[in-house]
Structures are given as structure tokens and as C-alpha cells.
Amino acid sequence: MNEKRSIGIIGIGMIGGSLALALKDSCKVVGYDKDDDVRAYAEKNGICTVVEPSAMRECEVIFVCVPIYAMKKVLDGLPSVVGDRPIITDVASVKAPFASTRGKYVGGHPMAGTERGGIAAAKAHLFENAYYVLTSNDGDAQTVKSVAELTGAIVIHMDAQTHDRAVAAFSHVPHAIAYAQVTSALKSGAQPIAGSGFLDATRIAQSDEKFWTEVFKLNKQNVREGIKAFSGELEKLDRMLANDDYAAIEEYLACSRQKRDALNRTDLGGEVLYVDLVDRVGEFERVTGAIARAGINVTNIALVPARQNASGALRLEFACPSDKSKAQSVLDELNNG
């Protein structure tokens, strides 16, 4: 019987704790956190075996999951504590500031999380079917990939600069906008009759301000460029309104809607299948159940909002063309039976 792989985790919060829970059945997981209460919680709840960082010298991979404002200090100091055997990887949501880290370092960013933080929010399934970015693709990165895939994550590769531009556009700037939108609305003096649209658009403004301040700092240039681009679009709309150019507004909104709709069809390597859903009780289970009973793994699933006077659609993503083809055959048989 093969010995389990030895994995270390520095920082047993929501991300680190979730990694430990996801890996503990297939790996020997040891962890450390500077907080006494966190260490006690991890031991009591069987999340991982708590050890000092110096006891991680024989680990194959060490995941550094400390807060982003402490990341550089830990990455710079850890090799002198654990030696040169372990591959060190991090989970920071900004990558370029850490790209020059010495030693056997692989930049990483699991695209998963919640507004809640801390070890009590850790979930074994947090990374299932979530994209996990690695900023290199060498031998060490392949080792990290093999461990990350044990969590159910889908590993993709992109360089640090490309990653930081992408997360600025699709994560960091939207967070900045959400914070600004809340402040703007509440400063307006209007009665706070916030509906689902406002609450959905600003949900992410409930995230930790210390974390996001550091993210904005570390990805400053990309975030500033994104804010300027967004402000330019708002100014464009404002000019149309000032000129009573409602035909142009309608065209602009239609174009934006089409682009947003296209995002539902964007994937990073999977095979995508769209399934029409009839508006009736049990339809979702009928479709997904048939695929599950056929033993076909769906790596990602999303509901595409219905258009006016049309049924909704289910977006199913598969790991390979053969799984997609099998699923299509199952659904054809289901619908024609």
C-alpha cells in the first residue's frame, strides 16, 4: 500500500481549513496557525494535525494560506524554516507581487471562497469544480496541480501579469464598484427601498475591508485602469441621457446584455452543453438525474436566466468531448422516450 503524500498548510482559516478537509482522506495533512484558538479548533474538529512549521520539512507541498497582507513575509521566511525539499505555493488573489519569491515556489489562486472567513467557515467541498490558477507550468507546478486536483478543482495556467489583469477586471474592480455603489446610494438621501437588484449587485460589499484594501494596494495599477474604464462607460451613458439619445441607449444596453449573456457560454477548457428546461416541477432533477445515472461526471453547472417567452437553459460543462457526447445521447434518449 502506497504511503500517503505529506502536505503542509500554513494558515488554517477558511481557505487553509477547506484545503485540509478536502485533502485529509487522500493525504497526510499537517497545519499551523499563529492563533491558539484556531489551532485548538483544528485539532478538536479533526481538520488536520497541528504542528510547528519546522516540522513540515518532509512535506511534498506546503500551501501558504495566510492573509494577503502577511503573505510576502511568510513566503520570504518559510524556506529557511522548512528547507529546500517542500514545494511552496500560496493562495493569494494577486500574483505579480510574489512572482520573485525565491526557492521552489509556485504561485497559486483557487477561485473559490465566501464572504465568511475563519476556520469555522471551512468546507471540504469548497474547491469542487472551481478554477484553480497556477502561474507556472514546470515540474513543480505539475506536482502542485496533482495535489490541487485532489480537491476537485480544475487547474488552469496563466502567467502572473495576465492573472492580475483578469482578476482586476472580473473581481477587484467589481468589488470597488460595489463598495462605491452602497456609499453613493445611502448618501443620496433617498428612502432605502433596496430591492433584490441592488442587494445582488452589492452583496460583495459585505466582504472584509482589510483584505480588499490590501488587494487594491497590491494590484493598484490594474484596479485604477479598470476604474477609469468603468467611469468612462458611465460617462458615455450620461452623455446619451443629456442628449436624449434613447435609441443609442437602447443599442448600448442591448450590446451589453448580449455580452453578459455570452459570459454564460465562456469556459476555460471544458466541453459545454446547453439543455432547455421546461417550466415544470422536477425538470432539473429529471435532466441531471439521467446524466448522473449514466455515470457521467459534470464538472460545472449553471442556470442561464430565461429570456422573455422562452424556457430556461441549463449550462453543463464536461471534462472531455466524450463525456459531452455521452450526455447528449442520454438527453436525446430521455427526450425522445
Side-chain angles (χ1 to χ4, degrees), residues 63-87:
F63 290 84
V64 181
C65 306
V66 300
I68 194 169
Y69 50 81
M71 186 64 72
K72 182 171 175 52
K73 181 179 180 181
V74 174
L75 289 177
D76 287 345
L78 193 58
S80 64
V81 176
V82 301
D84 58 6
R85 183 182 188 278
I87 299 168

Side-chain angles (χ1 to χ4, degrees), residues 29-172:
V29 181
V30 295
Y32 172 80
D33 197 285
K34 69 176 184 178
D35 190 305
D36 294 342
D37 292 338
V38 171
R39 295 198 302 271
Y41 186 99
E43 287 277 23
K44 179 181 178 181
N45 292 278
I47 292 175
C48 64
T49 300
V50 175
V51 301
E52 292 293 319
S54 58
M56 298 183 185
R57 299 179 68 90
E58 298 305 312
C59 286
E60 183 178 6
V61 178
I62 298 175
F63 290 84
V64 181
C65 306
V66 300
I68 194 169
Y69 50 81
M71 186 64 72
K72 182 171 175 52
K73 181 179 180 181
V74 174
L75 289 177
D76 287 345
L78 193 58
S80 64
V81 176
V82 301
D84 58 6
R85 183 182 188 278
I87 299 168
I88 296 173
T89 186
D90 70 320
V91 297
S93 57
V94 182
K95 301 272 50 96
F98 312 114
S100 61
T101 298
R102 301 188 309 275
K104 297 171 68 175
Y105 167 74
V106 175
H109 180 203
M111 307 293 289
T114 68
E115 285 81 34
R116 294 181 59 205
I119 192 170
K123 304 177 187 299
H125 62 273
L126 183 68
F127 307 102
E128 289 181 4
N129 299 322
Y131 292 116
Y132 198 120
V133 178
L134 296 180
T135 57
S136 56
N137 198 11
D138 56 12
D140 288 343
Q142 290 301 312
T143 299
V144 175
K145 176 184 178 183
S146 68
V147 177
E149 287 178 337
L150 294 174
T151 70
I154 302 168
V155 177
I156 60 175
H157 301 272
M158 62 178 69
D159 65 74
Q161 290 73 25
T162 300
H163 168 274
D164 288 359
R165 287 193 297 271
V167 292
F170 290 100
S171 177
H172 301 171

Side-chain angles (χ1 to χ4, degrees), residues 169-337:
F170 290 100
S171 177
H172 301 171
V173 172
H175 274 79
I177 292 167
Y179 286 113
Q181 191 173 0
V182 169
T183 301
S184 174
L186 294 180
K187 285 174 67 175
S188 70
Q191 190 75 14
I193 50 173
S196 60
F198 181 86
L199 296 176
D200 288 346
T202 60
R203 174 186 56 81
I204 53 178
Q206 296 175 286
S207 302
D208 181 68
E209 63 275 7
K210 187 173 184 180
F211 169 81
W212 280 102
T213 299
E214 191 68 14
V215 168
F216 294 160
K217 173 185 173 183
L218 293 175
N219 205 16
K220 174 182 173 179
Q221 191 59 40
N222 288 318
V223 172
R224 289 194 68 204
E225 289 176 3
I227 290 174
K228 289 176 183 176
F230 178 73
S231 298
E233 294 301 317
L234 286 181
E235 289 171 1
K236 187 184 300 182
L237 271 172
D238 185 51
R239 288 193 298 271
M240 294 177 197
L241 282 168
N243 295 327
D244 291 327
D245 194 350
Y246 300 109
I249 291 176
E250 184 175 354
E251 182 180 353
Y252 181 91
L253 298 182
C255 182
S256 294
R257 177 181 57 78
Q258 290 165 6
K259 290 176 180 177
R260 174 60 182 86
D261 186 53
L263 286 176
N264 294 323
R265 295 165 171 76
T266 300
D267 67 275
L268 297 176
E271 295 291 325
V272 178
L273 184 64
Y274 286 88
V275 183
D276 286 333
L277 291 180
V278 179
D279 187 10
R280 64 188 178 196
V281 175
E283 178 70 0
F284 180 89
E285 193 282 331
R286 185 181 78 93
V287 171
T288 58
I291 294 173
R293 288 189 294 273
I296 304 167
N297 182 45
V298 180
T299 60
N300 217 338
I301 188 168
L303 185 65
V304 180
R307 298 179 181 84
Q308 187 176 7
N309 301 322
S311 61
L314 199 63
R315 180 185 186 278
L316 305 175
E317 188 172 325
F318 303 90
C320 60
S322 62
D323 280 352
K324 175 184 174 180
S325 178
K326 291 175 186 176
Q328 184 66 71
S329 297
V330 167
L331 295 175
D332 287 345
E333 184 177 343
L334 181 70
N335 293 326
N336 294 329

Side-chain angles (χ1 to χ4, degrees), residues 5-9 19-20 23-24 27-31 47-49:
R5 305 170 76 171
S6 183
I7 304 298
I9 298 174
L19 277 170
L23 293 171
K24 71 175 188 174
C27 302
K28 176 185 176 183
V29 181
V30 295
I47 292 175
C48 64
T49 300

